[in-house]
Amino acid sequence: MKHWGKRIAKIALGLLICLVLIVGGYVIYMQLNYYRIDDYTQLTVENDQPDGVSAGTDYTIATYNIGFGAYEPEYTFFMDTGEMKTGEKTQGARARALGETNVVTNTNGSIELMMGLDCDFYFVQEVDQSATRSYHVDQADMIRSAFNTYGYVYCSAFHSPYLFYPFNEPHGSVESGIVTMSKYHIQESMRRQLPVSTSFITKFTDLDRCFVVNRIPADNGKELVLINLHLSAYDEGGQIRKQQLEMLNGVMAEEYAKGNYVIAGGDFNHDIAGTIEAFPSEQKVPGWVYELSDEDLAEGLSFVVPDNNLEVPSCRGADIPYEKGVDYTVTVDGFIVSDNVEASSEVINNEFAYSDHQPVKMTFRLK
């Protein structure tokens, strides 16, 4: 009996040592493959167009987070949590899209939706180049091919080695980014690195947050500065949000002080239109929702609140499948403009058919 007890103890010890080695090796692998892209990284403009823009002319721009082609209405994401008004806690289930076919269908749907807006400029977020979560469908190339008459800029915003979590469906490796498209000449495109969390787990699971500064010449010697952004969402305590907004404000204020036209748009991951409790829902307001207003911006800058901001939201919670009037919704996508830009916008309603976000289209004129 003692003999068997010793053998079992040795086996258990051996298994424990193996487990420690595997976990330790995996942590080392993640750490060795972890890096942040340098600030002030010059980006390549593909298929650049020849013409600049003109003051006094109307232009259109749209921003759309396509959610790596995963977020059809029934899709839920494992990092999203919430609470029903009954007190029931909710959490998303999936780390990957429902299937490769779903990714292709949703990406094509998003492309068709954007093309129907017929804009001069586009900002697109969460565009996967090659990722386990989206079955290595190259969404960046799909968008580039569809908009082949536009100038095109891809910027890496999430690059992660293989994340073996959740254990039932690992998120895997990710190369994803944000895309800027333009019918007009982009004379420079620069990636700016935003402050991000350096906590051990979050630094592997959150995006490598950034914004892209695109410079387009105007006919009066000024520049139209288009800033494509995607700010942090999972930020307990709001410290990262504060740092990111401070940096963004500094860049926008500097460009405005030069006399340039400034438009910053994308996924702010915070309520930017006074919609924190605007839409019917059976859920409580999630903890990640924070309200931003013009008071949070530098002088001479303001949010463009969509004309239909109390009718159509731009984002849904992904902790439960989407059902209008049940799922929590809010507007976190849109634009900031400088005072020398006249603008109006609207959220485009398609009932979250292809993403957990909906496009926001803005018409603007340079004064």
Side-chain angles (χ1 to χ4, degrees), residues 73 75-76 80 84 90 279-284 286 313 315-330 352 356:
Y75 183 82
T76 64
D80 278 29
M84 307 302 291
T90 55
F279 305 107
S281 173
E282 294 180 15
Q283 293 190 292
K284 296 179 181 179
C315 178
R316 71 169 181 92
D319 53 305
I320 61 174
Y322 175 65
E323 184 178 348
K324 187 174 182 178
V326 177
D327 197 352
Y328 178 79
T329 54
V330 66
F352 302 100
D356 57 331

Side-chain angles (χ1 to χ4, degrees), residues 211 224-227 229 244-265 268 272 292-305 335-343 367:
F211 58 86
L224 169 59
V225 180
L226 295 178
I227 300 175
L229 58 86
Q244 290 182 352
L245 194 60
E246 182 178 352
M247 178 180 174
L248 179 64
N249 261 324
V251 171
M252 292 188 297
E254 181 181 357
E255 294 298 336
Y256 179 55
K258 294 176 184 176
N260 290 331
Y261 306 103
V262 181
I263 296 176
F268 289 87
I272 62 170
L292 296 178
S293 69
D294 291 354
E295 294 180 0
D296 298 298
L297 302 179
E299 186 176 355
L301 302 166
S302 59
F303 285 104
V304 181
V305 176
F335 298 93
I336 297 169
V337 299
S338 51
D339 285 352
N340 51 3
V341 178
E342 296 178 355
K367 296 180 183 179

Side-chain angles (χ1 to χ4, degrees), residues 58 67 81 89 108 127 188 190 293 314 331:
D58 285 346
T81 59
K89 304 289 186 180
N108 280 329
V127 181
E188 181 186 71
M190 182 77 71
S293 69
S314 79
T331 292

Side-chain angles (χ1 to χ4, degrees), residues 61-63 306 314 333-335 345-348 358-362:
I61 183 171
T63 182
S314 79
D333 306 89
F335 298 93
S345 70
E346 65 173 330
V347 183
I348 307 301
Q358 303 199 110
V360 177
K361 179 179 180 179
M362 184 175 76

Side-chain angles (χ1 to χ4, degrees), residues 17-29:
I17 291 172
C18 287
L19 180 62
V20 169
L21 290 174
I22 291 171
V23 172
Y26 178 69
V27 170
I28 292 171
Y29 157 77

Side-chain angles (χ1 to χ4, degrees), residues 34 40 84 99 153 200 208 258 343 354:
Y34 171 80
Y40 294 100
M84 307 302 291
V153 179
F200 182 70
D208 195 359
K258 294 176 184 176
Y354 312 115

